[in-house]
Amino acid sequence: MKILFLGDIVGKSGRNAVLQRLPFLQQAYDVDFTIINAENSAHGKGITTKIYQSLKDAGVDVITLGNHAYSKREIMDQFDHCPDLIRPENMDPAETGRGYVVRECMGKRIAVINLLGTIFMDQAAESPITVMKRLLKEIEAEIIIVDLHAEATGEKEIFFHIFKDQVTAVFGTHTHVQTADEQILDGCAYITDAGMCGTFQSILGRSVEEVLARTLNSEKTHFVPAEGPAVICGCVVEIDDQTNRAVNITRIMERPAE
Ligand SMILES: [Fe+2]
Ligand SMILES: [Fe+2]
């Protein structure tokens, strides 16, 4: 089985690039199950039901979020209508929604879990390590995938080494910059950050002009997603059908043509 994971979709350019490229990626990598982090998909912060539906219609199985999970308030009472949408399990306050789902694919149960880091972030109620230990006692699945939405590289590596024997893959998200440390260790796939799907010439997907006006001139600007050709970032993980363990990870970074 092959699982495609794409990092944070940022704004319209990221959404359009994913919708355009997803069929090709799924075909090229022979993908069976697709997970995408969409925490910045609605104008850079949060997600809407319309975006959720467009990703589902495009063939995404599970959509994860992060610290911006609740940024678009219209999603708050819509989680029951978006069964494949998860927000970090340890979000504080966890006002609504769920932190994991279990789905079936090729006769296997796949659990997808979303967690927040605690270092240089202040939205997590509990350590992702504590929460993960608790979840492992209640989740029944052959394959367990974690989207660890965290700022600190070390926190993500620590998590991977603690849980590598019990989970199938740990994908880091949130920094929007892909790391080149993808690896398989003891049957668990890992990358510190999958990267983003959003405008390449930007500051983490955000308008350069807007961020510089805020930084250099102390202007009180609103978040403006950058416009322009988008990069697509993520990984494909191959899972052995007999052992349910990861055997290969391929890093994907499709940059726009120069
Ligand atoms: Fe993000
Ligand atoms: Fe984030």
Side-chain angles (χ1 to χ4, degrees), residues 40-243:
N40 309 102
S41 58
H43 204 67
K45 290 182 178 178
I47 187 169
T48 61
T49 47
K50 198 174 158 195
I51 294 171
Y52 167 86
Q53 201 52 54
S54 68
L55 292 171
K56 284 301 298 174
D57 292 345
V60 180
D61 292 284
V62 176
I63 295 152
T64 59
L65 295 168
N67 51 308
H68 289 300
Y70 298 149
S71 291
K72 293 286 175 287
R73 300 302 287 181
E74 66 145 271
I75 202 70
M76 299 304 287
D77 56 1
Q78 295 298 319
F79 273 86
D80 286 347
H81 303 292
C82 302
D84 299 309
L85 180 65
I86 59 175
R87 48 83 181 150
E89 172 74 14
N90 56 341
M91 191 140 183
D92 183 27
E95 293 175 64
T96 183
R98 61 198 78 77
Y100 72 89
V101 287
V102 180
R103 295 286 172 262
E104 285 229 356
C105 179
M106 300 171 74
K108 303 280 172 72
R109 290 168 298 184
I110 303 177
V112 184
I113 301 169
N114 199 185
L115 289 169
L116 269 184
T118 55
I119 300 172
F120 308 128
M121 302 182 89
D122 54 10
Q123 295 98 333
E126 268 184 292
S127 150
I129 297 168
T130 309
V131 176
M132 190 66 201
K133 284 181 180 171
R134 190 167 67 233
L135 289 181
L136 284 171
K137 288 181 190 150
E138 68 179 66
I139 291 176
E140 291 183 10
E142 285 76 33
I143 294 164
I144 299 179
I145 310 288
V146 180
D147 173 348
L148 178 54
H149 195 79
E151 177 74 29
T153 52
E155 184 172 26
K156 293 186 249 191
E157 288 194 339
I158 290 166
F159 184 95
F160 166 53
H161 283 272
I162 293 172
F163 294 107
K164 66 178 169 51
D165 295 323
Q166 291 146 292
V167 311
T168 320
V170 177
F171 300 113
T173 57
H174 176 68
T175 73
H176 293 197
V177 178
Q178 188 181 72
T179 56
D181 62 337
E182 76 278 13
Q183 58 183 289
I184 303 287
L185 183 62
D186 298 335
C188 182
Y190 174 77
I191 187 165
T192 296
D193 209 292
M196 74 164 176
C197 299
T199 300
F200 186 67
Q201 291 299 344
S202 68
I203 295 177
L204 310 181
R206 191 167 173 170
S207 160
V208 174
E209 293 75 21
E210 184 255 308
V211 175
L212 293 192
R214 170 178 279 260
T215 306
L216 298 174
N217 307 331
S218 303
E219 288 179 31
K220 291 212 176 344
T221 58
H222 288 289
F223 191 112
V224 178
E227 291 179 15
V231 64
I232 288 194
C233 293
C235 289
V236 173
V237 168
E238 187 180 352
I239 297 165
D240 184 276
D241 290 334
Q242 301 297 319
T243 64

Side-chain angles (χ1 to χ4, degrees), residues 13-25 58 230 232 254:
S13 68
R15 293 195 315 265
N16 288 345
V18 166
L19 294 176
Q20 192 183 9
R21 289 297 299 162
L22 195 59
F24 298 97
L25 290 170
I232 288 194
E254 287 193 348

